[in-house]
Amino acid sequence: MPGDNAKKALIDSLNGLLADYFTLYLKTKNYHWHVAGPQFRDLHLLFDEHAAELFALTDIIAERVRKNGGDTLTSITSIAGKATLKDDDRTKIDAMEMVKALRDDNATLVKVIRAVKDAASEAGDNATEGLADDWTDQAEQRVWFLTQTLA
């Protein structure tokens, strides 16, 4: 049976993942709102699609924290304190620079999700382990789409 330390580590990793999802969601929405140039329409729609996918998972991740007996993030300050991804509050940024930043952030997110899966395994939380596989697949798909946009 997993110990308290494994459960605490899982809760901590899930809250870190939640912070990264919120950070990447807002960064993606920022780019959606401010993209310009010849690929405006395609990127505007792609960024919005990705933002919706990211936001949809925040509640699921937070509920995994609660189901494991933990408290979730409570504020912008707590998100900023736990996030490993960096935000970007620029409004004037080249569209392809936006694509590269989002590609790289989603690739980092894959690593964070894999760490959550490892923590879930240590804690004996097979539900989170299974969800992490889906989250990984979605993040890898975003990386793929963004990479192909740069080709």
Side-chain angles (χ1 to χ4, degrees):
M1 172 165 266
D4 268 358
N5 287 342
K7 189 69 81 170
K8 286 177 186 173
L10 173 58
I11 290 166
D12 187 58
S13 70
L14 280 165
N15 271 321
L17 181 63
L18 182 59
D20 281 340
Y21 264 88
F22 271 118
T23 301
L24 187 53
Y25 163 74
L26 194 54
K27 187 177 198 174
T28 304
K29 279 306 254 190
N30 173 33
Y31 291 171
H32 162 78
W33 293 323
H34 294 101
V35 68
Q39 291 183 293
F40 166 78
R41 187 179 194 300
D42 290 340
L43 292 177
H44 183 75
L45 295 173
L46 179 65
F47 295 164
D48 199 40
E49 178 184 309
H50 286 185
E53 187 175 276
L54 291 162
F55 188 73
L57 289 177
T58 59
D59 194 54
I60 294 167
I61 296 166
E63 287 176 356
R64 291 307 313 155
V65 172
R66 298 295 295 143
K67 289 175 184 176
N68 276 284
D71 291 326
T72 60
L73 303 174
T74 57
S75 65
I76 298 296
T77 303
S78 64
I79 291 168
K82 290 293 294 176
T84 60
L85 298 178
K86 301 299 177 211
D87 60 5
D88 186 353
D89 53 1
R90 297 177 290 169
T91 59
K92 304 290 186 223
I93 177 173
D94 177 76
M96 289 304 107
E97 191 178 337
M98 290 176 177
V99 172
K100 287 176 187 172
L102 294 177
R103 177 203 56 200
D104 294 349
D105 285 349
N106 277 283
T108 298
L109 192 65
V110 169
K111 294 175 187 172
V112 175
I113 295 167
R114 288 183 175 146
V116 167
K117 182 175 175 159
D118 290 344
S121 179
E122 283 291 317
D125 180 358
N126 66 326
T128 298
E129 274 187 273
L131 288 168
D133 290 335
D134 292 337
W135 302 338
T136 299
D137 184 55
Q138 290 175 10
E140 287 174 339
Q141 181 165 322
R142 288 189 301 271
V143 170
W144 173 43
F145 274 55
L146 292 162
T147 299
Q148 292 308 306
T149 301
L150 293 167

